Amino acid sequence: MVGTSNKVLKPTRQEDDKFAKKSGVLLEKLDNKILEINQLKAAATKETPEPESTTKDEFNSDGEEMEPSEAIDWDDKISVLQNVDPNAFRQYELACDRVKLFYIEQHEKQTVAYNIQARINFKTKTRAKMSVWEGLEKLNKLLDDSDPDTELSQIDHALQTAEAIRRDKKPRWFQLVGLIHDLGKLLYFFDSQGQWDVVGDTFPVGCKFLKKIIFAETFKKNSDFFNPLYNTKYGIYYKNCGLDKVMLSWGHDEYMYHVAKRNSKLPPEALAMIRYHSFYPWHKENAYQYLMNEDDKKMLSAVRAFNKYDLYSKSDDQPLLDVKELKGYYLDLIDEYFPTKIIEF
């Protein structure tokens, strides 16, 4: 009599890759179905549906080719911030309890299931209609619990970032990114569940949480941590799939990226700066290289160039700015790249 074996057969690498590619297709189909539902709802109420941009960032929401970005030497020396000490920032081991408690909660609750639901909510709901500047003024009431480097108001940080970029004579679209890169934090006033799904460093969900993520040890409370579908190197993705196919933890970066992609004429580099500026494991720690495609490699230099302005402009040595004095300049800049003026957030 032949005995039966209790040995569990593990899937092969080929089977893992097949599953990952199938999962990516399913997520893409889900995204398309949500768009179809939105269009049907709009037609039923005799509204004109907001057209979705193509999968390539080279086209805006109207299907028109976006303005080509100017050639920039991303590695040029930053003049206005050259004396800032890089080691003075992101000192999380010295951070107050408020910052540490924030990341414990974020790492527990940012699951695949939550991220899918958050994207469904984004595509099926308009939270507010306002101008970009009105959004900045509303945002001024938020204190970011995840940031150990500054307690400046949001509009002060936005203007300091933009003005540092402007003083270095970078393109106008680059200056605008400095102004609006954190505008997605408006989520906090709409339908967020706290700050954990609005602010903080971002990271992929649906694959193994890497040690390069800040406070990585706290992911053990995340229900995906022990899920065999998600806790491998590639998880639901596959080698060099491209970051556009990866779900980054939902928050202000992802939210504002989609808003800007839909409503602006900003070039691909600008959209990458907005989407990835909090993805520190990638642009600072060189993690997740195996998920990148060739386009991601081009965008990485742009994101790193922007990050210096975003981070170092928080220095106490930076001058206080007069919001009223600068408002006219930035209103013109906003109108140049957000021609509809009133944006659906």
Side-chain angles (χ1 to χ4, degrees):
M1 182 175 179
V2 180
T4 58
S5 174
N6 293 325
K7 184 178 180 180
V8 178
L9 297 177
K10 295 183 177 180
T12 64
R13 176 70 257 180
Q14 291 80 7
E15 289 172 331
D16 280 343
D17 288 344
K18 185 177 179 181
F19 169 78
K21 291 180 180 180
K22 184 178 179 181
S23 298
V25 171
L26 289 174
L27 289 171
E28 187 172 344
K29 286 183 177 179
L30 173 63
D31 192 66
N32 291 335
K33 287 296 182 184
I34 294 167
L35 176 60
E36 290 175 14
I37 292 170
N38 288 345
Q39 291 172 332
L40 289 171
K41 288 170 65 178
T45 57
K46 296 184 179 180
E47 295 177 357
T48 302
E50 185 70 40
E52 182 80 356
S53 61
T54 64
T55 55
K56 293 292 183 181
D57 286 337
E58 288 80 4
F59 298 88
N60 65 14
S61 60
D62 296 318
E64 299 171 343
E65 191 168 358
M66 301 174 87
E67 176 184 324
S69 54
E70 303 170 42
I72 300 177
D73 180 5
W74 298 117
D75 295 324
D76 66 345
K77 189 175 182 180
I78 297 178
S79 58
V80 301
L81 301 175
Q82 62 183 346
N83 295 322
V84 174
D85 178 11
N87 296 319
F89 299 90
R90 292 180 60 81
Q91 298 294 320
Y92 282 100
E93 66 277 6
L94 303 176
C96 64
D97 289 343
R98 165 177 61 84
V99 176
K100 296 175 182 177
L101 290 172
F102 163 82
Y103 277 105
I104 290 173
E105 183 176 23
Q106 185 207 42
H107 290 176
E108 177 182 356
K109 296 180 178 179
Q110 285 279 0
T111 63
V112 170
Y114 173 76
N115 273 267
I116 291 175
Q117 185 61 55
R119 285 158 174 79
I120 292 173
N121 292 344
F122 168 77
K123 289 181 174 292
T124 55
K125 180 179 180 182
T126 298
R127 295 158 181 80
K129 295 181 181 181
M130 67 181 86
S131 69
V132 169
W133 191 266
E134 286 172 335
L136 287 168
E137 291 179 328
K138 182 177 181 65
L139 192 61
N140 221 25
K141 300 175 183 178
L142 174 66
L143 174 64
D144 187 339
D145 283 345
S146 71
D147 195 336
D149 295 318
T150 185
E151 293 190 4
L152 284 174
S153 71
Q154 295 297 310
I155 199 167
D156 283 335
H157 169 58
L159 284 171
Q160 283 193 339
T161 306
E163 282 293 284
I165 296 168
R166 181 185 177 190
R167 290 196 298 272
D168 272 352
K169 298 180 172 56
K170 293 296 189 288
R172 286 171 62 81
W173 64 260
F174 198 161
Q175 299 169 34
L176 182 58
V177 171
L179 185 73
I180 69 170
H181 70 283
D182 279 342
L183 189 56
K185 291 179 182 179
L186 285 170
L187 271 175
Y188 181 72
F189 302 106
F190 299 145
D191 56 357
S192 73
Q193 297 187 21
Q195 289 208 19
W196 65 268
D197 60 349
V198 178
V199 299
D201 286 9
T202 58
F203 46 86
V205 296
C207 60
K208 186 176 181 179
F209 300 118
L210 300 186
K211 292 182 180 179
K212 293 294 181 69
I213 304 171
I214 193 68
F215 298 129
E217 67 279 2
T218 62
F219 279 109
K220 291 182 179 179
K221 291 186 177 182
N222 188 303
S223 60
D224 292 347
F225 186 84
F226 298 102
N227 190 320
L229 297 179
Y230 305 143
N231 64 8
T232 62
K233 178 178 180 179
Y234 293 102
I236 61 175
Y237 313 113
Y238 55 94
K239 185 177 181 179
N240 304 129
C241 61
L243 295 180
D244 60 327
K245 292 183 173 61
V246 174
M247 279 196 299
L248 296 180
S249 52
W250 182 253
H252 73 280
D253 303 54
E254 284 285 285
Y255 174 54
M256 190 60 204
Y257 161 73
H258 287 290
V259 170
K261 185 178 178 182
R262 178 182 293 179
N263 293 283
S264 79
K265 295 182 177 180
L266 289 168
E269 292 89 345
L271 296 174
M273 291 171 179
I274 292 170
R275 187 182 186 217
Y276 302 126
H277 74 270
S278 300
F279 190 11
Y280 278 89
W282 178 58
H283 65 67
K284 184 176 187 294
E285 303 294 342
N286 297 308
Y288 300 103
Q289 300 283 313
Y290 45 84
L291 296 178
M292 294 168 59
N293 58 21
E294 289 302 314
D295 191 54
D296 296 324
K297 294 175 183 178
K298 297 175 184 176
M299 294 299 109
L300 181 56
S301 295
V303 175
R304 283 174 170 164
F306 170 74
N307 177 252
K308 297 173 184 177
Y309 291 102
D310 178 22
L311 188 59
Y312 300 163
S313 63
K314 297 174 182 178
S315 171
D316 293 335
D317 296 333
Q318 296 307 304
L320 293 176
L321 302 172
D322 188 330
V323 176
K324 292 181 180 179
E325 181 181 330
L326 295 170
K327 182 176 178 179
Y329 176 82
Y330 285 104
L331 285 177
D332 288 341
L333 198 55
I334 291 167
D335 288 346
E336 181 178 344
Y337 288 96
F338 286 85
T340 56
K341 296 188 179 181
I342 300 300
I343 308 302
E344 291 189 354
F345 284 94

